Amino acid sequence: MKAIYSDPAQTITLTTWADTVAVDPRDNLLIAVRLGGYPEVTAGLVNAVSGGGTLSVQLDGETLVCTPQQGRYSKAVSRDGTYAVAALLWDNQSARKQGEKQQKEKTDKAQEARVYYLACPVRDKTALYHEIDKVSTIPMLPEFSDYMINELQARDMLAPCRVYTTGEPFAIWRLTCTPDDQNIADVLTDGLKAGVIRIPSTWPCQPDAFTEINGVAGYLRAFGSVIASRIRGQFQPLYDPAQEPLSEGVLGLDQFVAQTAGYHLYGAQLAAAEALRRRLQTARFGLLIAECGSGKSKVGSIALQSYFLQKHRKCLHIVLCPSHMTGKWVRELEEAIPNARAATVRTPADMDALYAGYARGGRTVFAVLSKENARDGYMRRPAARWDARRRGFTCPDCGSVVQMEFMDCGKRTLTDATPEYFRTETRANRKCGGCGAVLWTATTAEEQSEWVRISHLGYVHRRFAYLARDACKTAAAKKQLAALLRE
């Protein structure tokens, strides 16, 4: 079907092809559309349609004019070779969130009805009732499906929409809900009062199951087994320790922990490791969520190692953790993983050396990085230049001498910046006081700057390196400074 988008206000017209379109016949509101064409045209058209305008679709012998509503659609775009396919579908969550926001702000629109559009297979009442139950806050039982669907249609609260598609047919229904879903609650209440529908186990001559229940504890005693069986039926665990044995890999690693650390993992920890190992067999990631001190480091490393050893003799792993946890991670990994090396990585050079050892040897390697060191960014050095004629550090943009503040007899005074002023980047030395230009720039390995970084100290100017002798406290810093002074 040929689809033409037009926006007279912006004098925009775009043409593409659609194989599916759905509209609300009440006001020709666009509910869903699936478009295809060249990627640039398709992407632009999807953004334009979701922002408003008019979409005209040429059907057999007629033209269907649809009106999109701005900001109400979820978008999905996929690419197949040189062509792209995009789908727009009415987002029911946006209607719910807008209603909740209006209710919280207590605006006049909070009393207006909300409209949901529900997609389901054609003539499938079970699927339609399931969709109604998902968007409604009123509890509804499956036994009410026939009555609820028929009554909602009879009261014009549920109505079919027009769907045109060249693929597998489906249906879209419009559901209108008043605030707090009161109209749906009225339908349910009327059916119960009239006896058309009944809550199961409440038919005449049947015993009342709630007679002896006086609180939550009594309810759980009476129905706990039923609730548990339903939970087991709906949520199938990856690993059930009561039904299945642990894998040899997990058991072997637990034995190694006992030899190195002097204790075995608890049963719950081993069960979590086995479940996480199975998760990695079918997915690209797994989540292990537990409180502090519950042994996530041991459990996660055992699960990872038992999974990878099924396919590889050795592996290179990266652990990202807070900076105060790097040492603990190294210790835990050495206790849990046999024939492995764990080391803290602080610089790219550390990573290169660790990888070189991994490539040469036959051991599994864990690179432990703190999230502070691994954050996305780059090294920065001072951009200020030393001007011998003016005897001061100058701004690279305006050329003025950089000033710094110091306290003189309790008063703040400005003076020319010293080399120590640029040891590390701070709020005070980040920008030029004259023009506002940034006084720090990216460090590149190819250039030889006036500034040299000394470990545990900061940046030192080549001309004034001798001034940093007293500030060097570590052997590594003294060695670097001595090499700089010999240049």
Side-chain angles (χ1 to χ4, degrees):
M1 298 174 286
K2 189 175 182 180
I4 302 173
Y5 170 81
S6 61
D7 187 349
Q10 302 293 332
T11 64
I12 295 175
T13 301
L14 297 173
T15 302
T16 187
W17 299 90
D19 62 4
T20 300
V21 62
V23 297
D24 188 341
R26 183 176 55 180
D27 49 10
N28 282 341
L29 176 67
L30 180 67
I31 303 167
V33 65
R34 189 170 181 267
L35 308 167
Y38 290 110
E40 297 80 4
V41 177
T42 303
L45 192 57
V46 166
N47 293 330
V49 172
S50 61
T54 302
L55 184 69
S56 301
V57 180
Q58 297 181 2
L59 307 173
D60 293 335
E62 66 171 315
T63 299
L64 180 65
V65 179
C66 314
T67 305
Q69 190 166 342
Q70 184 177 2
R72 283 300 185 89
Y73 303 95
S74 59
K75 296 181 287 187
V77 181
S78 61
R79 186 163 179 171
D80 184 9
T82 58
Y83 294 96
V85 176
L88 285 176
L89 180 62
W90 184 271
D91 186 9
N92 288 321
Q93 291 297 325
S94 64
R96 180 184 296 278
K97 291 179 181 178
Q98 186 176 12
E100 292 174 351
K101 180 180 179 181
Q102 294 169 351
Q103 186 68 28
K104 185 181 296 185
E105 296 175 353
K106 298 188 181 302
T107 62
D108 295 337
K109 292 184 177 181
Q111 305 302 320
E112 296 180 358
R114 297 193 300 273
V115 176
Y116 301 102
Y117 291 97
L118 315 175
C120 63
V122 178
R123 291 184 295 277
D124 190 338
K125 283 192 172 184
T126 302
L128 175 58
Y129 188 70
H130 178 68
E131 294 298 320
I132 296 173
D133 191 26
K134 283 201 313 186
V135 300
S136 173
T137 59
I138 305 302
M140 295 184 291
L141 301 178
E143 291 80 4
F144 302 161
S145 61
D146 289 337
Y147 164 77
M148 290 295 294
I149 291 176
N150 294 334
E151 193 65 22
L152 289 174
Q153 291 186 73
R155 302 189 186 190
D156 198 26
M157 297 162 52
L158 183 68
C161 297
R162 299 171 64 184
V163 178
Y164 305 90
T165 179
T166 59
E168 183 178 354
F170 66 96
I172 291 184
W173 295 79
R174 180 186 70 245
L175 177 67
T176 305
C177 299
T178 57
D180 299 326
D181 297 344
Q182 186 59 48
N183 56 345
I184 297 180
D186 293 341
V187 173
L188 188 62
T189 303
D190 293 344
L192 291 171
K193 287 181 178 179
V196 180
I197 54 175
R198 285 183 178 273
I199 299 175
S201 302
T202 62
W203 294 92
C205 302
Q206 288 188 343
D208 187 356
F210 292 90
T211 302
E212 303 297 330
I213 295 178
N214 298 317
V216 175
Y219 178 81
L220 291 177
R221 282 195 299 270
F223 300 102
S225 59
V226 177
I227 296 173
S229 63
R230 289 190 177 183
I231 292 175
R232 283 194 297 269
Q234 294 178 1
F235 301 96
Q236 295 296 326
L238 291 173
Y239 170 69
D240 186 354
Q243 305 274 344
E244 305 169 87
L246 294 167
S247 64
E248 295 182 1
V250 172
L251 289 174
L253 293 172
D254 178 54
Q255 189 63 35
F256 181 78
V257 172
Q259 295 173 2
T260 56
Y263 61 86
H264 287 278
L265 268 68
Y266 292 107
Q269 293 174 319
L270 293 173
E274 180 65 25
L276 188 57
R277 182 190 70 83
R278 296 188 181 189
R279 166 68 179 176
L280 294 174
Q281 290 178 335
T282 58
R284 298 184 62 182
F285 70 94
L287 297 178
L288 178 63
I289 303 172
E291 294 182 0
C292 293
S294 57
K296 296 187 294 297
S297 306
K298 283 281 196 310
V299 172
S301 57
I302 287 176
L304 200 65
Q305 183 71 359
S306 61
Y307 164 71
F308 276 103
L309 282 183
Q310 296 175 340
K311 301 180 180 180
H312 307 285
R313 182 174 58 90
K314 65 175 183 176
C315 295
L316 175 64
H317 303 291
I318 296 179
V319 177
L320 190 65
C321 63
S323 57
H324 67 281
M325 298 287 290
T326 54
K328 176 181 179 293
W329 263 102
V330 171
R331 184 181 71 253
E332 297 261 1
L333 289 167
E334 291 176 346
E335 291 177 355
I337 310 301
N339 192 32
R341 180 191 176 195
T344 302
V345 174
R346 295 184 176 87
T347 66
D350 294 342
M351 189 66 200
D352 292 340
L354 195 63
Y355 181 77
Y358 164 76
R360 290 193 304 267
R363 303 168 64 186
T364 291
V365 172
F366 290 86
V368 182
L369 290 82
S370 71
K371 60 184 181 63
E372 289 79 11
N373 284 336
R375 68 183 184 273
D376 187 17
Y378 52 86
M379 296 290 292
R380 289 159 64 93
R381 62 164 179 83
R385 303 188 185 96
W386 173 254
D387 190 324
R389 182 179 61 84
R390 303 172 66 182
R391 302 192 61 81
F393 292 99
T394 59
C395 171
D397 279 28
C398 67
S400 61
V401 176
V402 179
Q403 302 282 297
M404 69 176 187
E405 287 186 356
F406 79 102
M407 299 298 293
D408 183 15
C409 299
K411 296 182 179 180
R412 291 187 177 183
T413 306
L414 289 177
T415 186
D416 292 348
T418 62
E420 293 80 5
Y421 185 62
F422 296 102
R423 288 278 169 81
T424 58
E425 185 176 0
T426 63
R427 185 187 298 272
N429 66 18
R430 184 169 296 129
K431 293 184 178 182
C432 172
C435 67
V438 178
L439 295 177
W440 290 75
T441 186
T443 301
T444 59
E446 296 79 11
E447 69 174 355
Q448 186 176 17
S449 169
E450 298 179 18
W451 300 90
V452 179
R453 190 175 186 277
I454 303 296
S455 60
H456 305 288
L457 179 61
Y459 281 97
V460 172
H461 195 274
R462 294 178 184 273
R463 182 185 180 93
F464 305 100
Y466 62 91
L467 297 175
R469 285 195 183 100
D470 295 338
C472 291
K473 303 300 182 183
T474 64
K478 292 177 181 179
K479 183 178 179 180
Q480 285 182 276
L481 184 62
L484 179 61
L485 290 171
R486 288 195 298 267
E487 292 182 358

